[in-house]
Amino acid sequence: MSTYNENIRKVTTLHLREMKQTGEKISMLTAYDYSMAKIIDEAGMDVILVGDSAANVMAGYTTTLPMTIEQMIYHAQSVVRATKRAMVLADMPFGTCSGNPEKSLEYAICIMKETGVDGLKIEGGEEIIADIRKIVDAGIPVMGHLGLMPQSINKYGSYGIRAKGNEEAAKLLKDAQLLEEAGCIGVVLEKIPAQLAKEVTEKISVPTIGIGAGAHTDGQVLVMQDMLGINKDFAPKFLRRYADLHTVITEAVGNYIKDVKENTFPNEKESY
Ligand code: KIV
């Protein structure tokens, strides 16, 4: 059996809604460059997210805050060039959607025009709902992002689980409903209790995509470097590693170094 729906030539917002209705889970993974996006797309991923986690895994920053709009455009252009089937979403970087709807729309249009992505992901709820409405009303698909919002790390002070208490959980549910009303195509729920994610998933009509939010969301998202085991230092409970590329790459590079030092590479067949 195929792991994905081969009848879909290009995943659209309509497909995401249908998947929620039929119970087909939505697969989503991050990518930031052409080569990896091509592999991920050809494997049948439904959604590729050009996350601002690029600031961490591509650039080595400790937070996502330094990511600029120019850097996001560069990564998103590379991913779009590689992708045929998957829907491609780009994150709006920190500071580009923060309570000034006109300005936020300008940034959103800039990313859409420069990159050709299919939509945007935006962190935040009620506080930026006017910005999100403005962007959606301009015809741009928006995926919301609630729970742990890495762009707000300085406000939280930690990357711990969010919405464990009743008050924060109630706000999160209300925010999800506001995002649905504003016309969002879905909502990412990051690092929240599975029971709360289930409740949100049942109460809104648009898909929820979880990361560290249990099994009841309509789909799952992971950061590519984490699930492929490239990034050894990051091992939260929610992460499942599907490969150990750190070891594979280390061994391959070690063998290459050895062959060069011993002058066994290149051999005659590998020479002109
Ligand atoms: O930037 C990112 O990669 C994300 C995912 C973790 C959802 O926001």
Side-chain angles (χ1 to χ4, degrees), residues 3-267:
T3 53
Y4 67 98
N5 186 344
E6 290 174 17
N7 297 322
I8 298 178
R9 281 187 49 227
K10 171 75 187 173
V11 179
T12 66
T13 55
L14 201 61
H15 291 123
L16 296 193
R17 265 183 182 263
E18 278 170 10
M19 287 181 198
K20 174 156 184 135
Q21 279 156 13
T22 61
E24 179 183 340
K25 296 281 182 177
I26 298 165
S27 59
M28 177 159 148
L29 190 62
T30 66
Y32 319 96
D33 70 291
Y34 176 86
S35 304
M36 289 305 297
K38 193 161 188 307
I39 296 172
I40 292 168
D41 185 56
E42 286 171 359
M45 193 62 57
D46 294 320
V47 184
I48 297 181
L49 171 66
V50 190
D52 59 359
S53 49
N56 308 120
V57 295
M58 300 299 285
Y61 289 111
T62 53
T63 74
T64 57
L65 273 65
M67 168 127 267
T68 65
I69 194 157
E70 290 79 14
Q71 288 162 347
M72 177 50 72
I73 287 170
Y74 168 78
H75 287 295
Q77 284 172 335
S78 310
V79 170
V80 166
R81 273 184 225 118
T83 308
K84 290 198 174 100
R85 180 184 180 276
M87 168 186 286
V88 181
L89 300 179
D91 257 330
M92 284 195 72
F94 173 68
T96 61
C97 185
S98 50
N100 181 342
E102 296 293 337
K103 197 80 201 143
S104 301
L105 178 60
E106 244 176 69
Y107 284 129
I109 289 176
C110 172
I111 298 174
M112 294 297 289
K113 271 190 190 287
E114 294 284 330
T115 65
V117 292
D118 303 304
L120 304 171
K121 179 169 79 58
I122 301 175
E123 290 182 18
E126 190 175 9
E127 299 75 9
I128 53 155
I129 205 69
D131 304 55
I132 291 181
R133 261 194 219 110
K134 187 100 188 153
I135 295 168
V136 170
D137 289 350
I140 300 173
V142 171
M143 181 160 288
H145 183 152
L146 299 172
L148 175 61
M149 293 177 278
Q151 291 178 8
S152 301
I153 181 60
N154 291 329
K155 184 169 113 186
Y156 301 139
S158 103
Y159 288 104
I161 305 170
R162 303 305 314 173
K164 283 202 287 189
N166 289 345
E167 205 178 310
E168 199 182 335
K171 174 170 167 30
L172 189 143
L173 176 57
K174 187 173 157 223
D175 281 345
Q177 288 167 326
L178 283 173
L179 292 173
E180 178 193 16
E181 277 163 34
C184 282
I185 59 166
V187 183
V188 167
L189 298 175
E190 181 162 356
K191 227 172 170 189
I192 62 169
Q195 193 50 40
L196 175 61
K198 181 172 187 282
E199 192 184 340
V200 174
T201 301
E202 286 167 357
K203 288 209 168 130
I204 64 174
S205 64
V206 294
T208 56
I209 312 286
I211 173 165
H216 302 291
T217 50
D218 298 303
Q220 297 291 332
V221 57
L222 285 175
V223 168
M224 181 252 295
Q225 276 78 356
D226 301 339
M227 65 83 79
L228 291 180
I230 293 176
N231 180 5
K232 276 213 148 174
D233 305 328
F234 186 65
K237 178 179 167 176
F238 70 78
L239 176 63
R240 185 178 295 179
R241 288 214 177 98
Y242 287 84
D244 180 4
L245 288 198
H246 189 280
T247 303
V248 171
I249 294 170
T250 305
E251 278 175 17
V253 172
N255 288 336
Y256 169 65
I257 295 169
K258 182 170 164 288
D259 290 353
V260 170
K261 297 286 181 190
E262 293 175 355
N263 200 19
T264 58
F265 173 79
N267 60 26

